[in-house]
Amino acid sequence: MSTSNTSVQGQRLGLTCCPTCTNLCQTQQTICSRCGQAVTSRDHSSIQKSWALLITAAILLFPANLYPITVMTSQGQVRKDTIFSGINHLIQLDLLPIAIILFTASILVPMLKIVGLGIYLLAISFELPISKRKLMAGFHIIEWIGRWSMLDLFVISITAALVNMGQIFDAKPAPAATAFALVILLTQLAAKVLDTRLLWDRLESNDDRN
Amino acid sequence: MDRDVLDKSIVLCRSCDLVVRKRALPSGVRALCPRCNSYLYDTPYCSINGMLALCLAALALYFPANFFPVLELHFLGSIRTTTIFGGAMSVADQGYWVVAIAVLTAAVIAPGLLILSVLFQVLIVKYQLHNPFFRKIYKGFLCQHKLISQLSMLEIYMISIFVSVFQLSDYTDLYFGIGTFCFTMLFIVVIFLQREYDIEHMWSVLDEYQ
Ligand SMILES: [Zn+2]
């Protein structure tokens, strides 16, 4: 499909799309006529908000991975597991499929999200010549897989509730669990607040091919 | 400018602000943005009675799914069970309330709100849409719908139950409870409900009655 004659921004026609109900509004409107919520053509502060959330999440990623996330007691022996050592332990137990699921949900997805969103924000903030189409494809993947990080927290809550027999057999969450929960929350928010239309405005001149 | 004429003929991409001319689609086909591949619109199924039936089925399953045990652990002659709610509470008891809130929101509160919200929307459309008071409530529900459906993570909790079973099966015997069956059924019903529900269509219902 040729982009030369089809790529007209809504902004150029003086139109914008209500973020709440997707109703078409005129750019000078401040309140959507259908749902009564605030309408803005572009949210320029969203880049700053998204950066702030993302940087906080990136910092929290360290305690989330370095501190233990669960404490397991089995026949008097106490094991403190970090996310990584827990997965390692699963591999030793020959539970490779489970190890792969947990590795993807707890390590790969949060890292990819932070790196991916970082690249995306850098591209908007510094007008880097990266293909917009690729950035957007990455963004859609980030939005879709992000929620799967919750898996580990669910598993911890089920395990902690079931395995609770004092010295003989016991499982408890450890400090990294809170840090990890905050990483998930903050990265989801960072993707949600970002106004992706800014990418297509700002890179228009640098990368017209895409 | 006449809003109604605009509404029917073009849409703006929410991700990149491209102006796209709307075309009729065969059912079950989604229209994507030609520039950035974001979802634009599709043909809704949206039978009000179908949604009502699904909501009632989901509501009937919701309580047993949340308050009957999902897993049973047999260890040295003693039996421990846990519910979804109990899992979150046991994490909170140990001071990890950020994790507990995340689990409760994603697995209990958001799915419950989602079902109730759709149920009320369907009932209002069916019986009371001409009443200004109920129209206002209906609008409120529609405005919050996106957030609630993003927060509800039944599918991830499903997988978490199985991951926990495999992880713990190395130490002890585990059995599925009645809760697991109800939860699986709830999960399936909610998938169908989300497939049937179309927010654009629900907004346009509001316009039609104006
Ligand atoms: Zn687009």
Side-chain angles (χ1 to χ4, degrees):
Chain A
M1 195 171 288
S2 79
T3 44
S4 54
N5 53 1
T6 51
S7 60
V8 178
Q9 299 279 104
Q11 203 173 33
R12 208 178 300 172
L13 297 184
L15 292 172
T16 190
C17 167
C18 169
T20 313
C21 73
T22 73
N23 185 27
L24 275 187
C25 296
Q26 283 164 285
T27 10
Q28 63 264 33
Q29 270 175 264
T30 50
I31 283 172
C32 173
S33 48
R34 183 160 75 173
C35 68
Q37 304 286 309
V39 179
T40 42
S41 163
R42 296 290 185 273
D43 182 2
H44 288 278
S45 66
S46 76
I47 296 179
Q48 280 184 8
K49 289 183 217 156
S50 196
W51 267 124
L53 291 164
L54 187 69
I55 291 169
T56 319
I59 294 169
L60 280 166
L61 199 60
F62 290 97
N65 281 287
L66 297 176
Y67 284 106
I69 195 161
T70 50
V71 182
M72 184 96 173
T73 312
S74 180
Q75 263 107 49
Q77 273 190 310
V78 180
R79 285 176 50 96
K80 288 189 177 182
D81 272 318
T82 61
I83 296 178
F84 191 76
S85 75
I87 291 165
N88 223 347
H89 187 228
L90 285 175
I91 296 173
Q92 282 160 15
L93 292 175
D94 275 333
L95 295 170
L96 199 59
I98 304 296
I100 291 170
I101 292 174
L102 278 182
F103 178 76
T104 312
S106 317
I107 294 185
L108 210 55
V109 169
M111 297 251 183
L112 276 180
K113 263 172 80 175
I114 288 177
V115 172
L117 270 176
I119 294 173
Y120 198 96
L121 285 170
L122 283 173
I124 302 181
S125 300
F126 299 105
E127 315 207 357
L128 301 179
I130 305 174
S131 154
K132 283 179 275 185
R133 222 175 254 270
K134 281 183 191 141
L135 284 172
M136 207 62 214
F139 190 81
H140 286 313
I141 295 171
I142 287 170
E143 267 190 320
W144 187 77
I145 59 170
R147 42 202 270 127
W148 282 93
S149 308
M150 282 295 286
L151 190 87
D152 215 9
L153 295 184
F154 289 155
V155 171
I156 291 171
S157 84
I158 297 172
T159 317
L162 274 179
V163 183
N164 183 6
M165 294 174 202
Q167 288 299 307
I168 317 165
F169 195 38
D170 192 41
K172 280 193 173 74
T178 301
F180 186 70
L182 289 174
V183 169
I184 300 171
L185 184 75
L186 292 172
T187 49
Q188 284 299 87
L189 276 177
K192 200 178 151 54
V193 297
L194 185 64
D195 187 345
T196 56
R197 294 172 296 189
L198 291 169
L199 174 75
W200 299 82
D201 295 343
R202 292 210 181 176
L203 295 187
E204 204 64 50
S205 50
N206 284 357
D207 197 20
D208 260 349
R209 291 163 292 121
N210 298 293
Chain B
M1 207 178 287
D2 191 356
R3 208 196 78 218
D4 286 336
V5 174
L6 283 174
D7 261 354
K8 299 292 176 304
S9 61
I10 61 168
V11 279
L12 297 183
C13 172
R14 265 152 284 170
S15 300
C16 75
D17 205 28
L18 182 74
V19 179
V20 183
R21 200 160 290 282
K22 232 176 169 175
R23 289 185 203 132
L25 289 177
S27 71
V29 175
R30 322 170 82 191
L32 299 180
C33 171
R35 186 163 69 172
C36 73
N37 283 325
S38 302
Y39 162 80
L40 290 176
Y41 59 93
D42 58 18
T43 343
Y45 301 90
C46 264
S47 114
I48 290 293
N49 287 328
M51 280 196 284
L52 182 61
L54 286 168
C55 279
L56 293 176
L59 212 57
L61 288 164
Y62 179 79
F63 293 97
N66 279 292
F67 298 105
F68 280 131
V70 280
L71 283 180
E72 258 174 47
L73 180 150
H74 296 217
F75 185 77
L76 299 177
S78 64
I79 297 175
R80 285 195 65 88
T81 61
T82 188
T83 60
I84 298 174
F85 191 75
M89 292 328 282
S90 76
V91 181
D93 281 346
Q94 291 165 25
Y96 295 91
W97 51 269
V98 176
V99 182
I101 290 171
V103 174
L104 267 187
T105 310
V108 181
I109 299 171
L113 285 179
L114 182 77
I115 297 164
L116 281 181
S117 158
V118 176
L119 178 67
F120 282 124
Q121 289 170 35
V122 168
L123 289 177
I124 290 171
V125 169
K126 225 167 137 60
Y127 300 110
Q128 292 287 354
L129 198 55
H130 49 272
N131 180 326
F133 173 72
F134 283 107
R135 286 177 66 89
K136 210 176 150 197
I137 295 181
Y138 182 77
K139 258 188 203 180
F141 279 131
L142 289 185
C143 288
Q144 299 306 323
H145 185 84
K146 216 163 107 192
L147 178 69
I148 294 174
S149 62
Q150 270 172 353
L151 285 177
S152 113
M153 303 181 184
L154 290 175
E155 74 280 23
I156 302 170
Y157 204 95
M158 256 338 277
I159 306 288
S160 306
I161 294 176
F162 295 114
V163 170
S164 312
V165 169
F166 277 106
Q167 263 193 345
L168 288 170
S169 63
D170 216 68
Y171 296 96
T172 175
D173 294 328
L174 279 170
Y175 300 92
F176 291 110
I178 320 162
T180 320
F181 173 73
C182 295
F183 193 77
T184 312
M185 295 306 293
L186 175 68
F187 165 68
I188 293 169
V189 171
V190 170
I191 285 182
F192 277 100
L193 184 61
Q194 278 171 326
R195 206 178 118 100
E196 195 81 15
Y197 184 90
D198 181 83
I199 184 101
E200 272 304 303
H201 179 80
M202 298 308 271
W203 276 114
S204 65
V205 170
L206 190 71
D207 290 340
E208 279 161 26
Y209 279 77
Q210 214 139 34

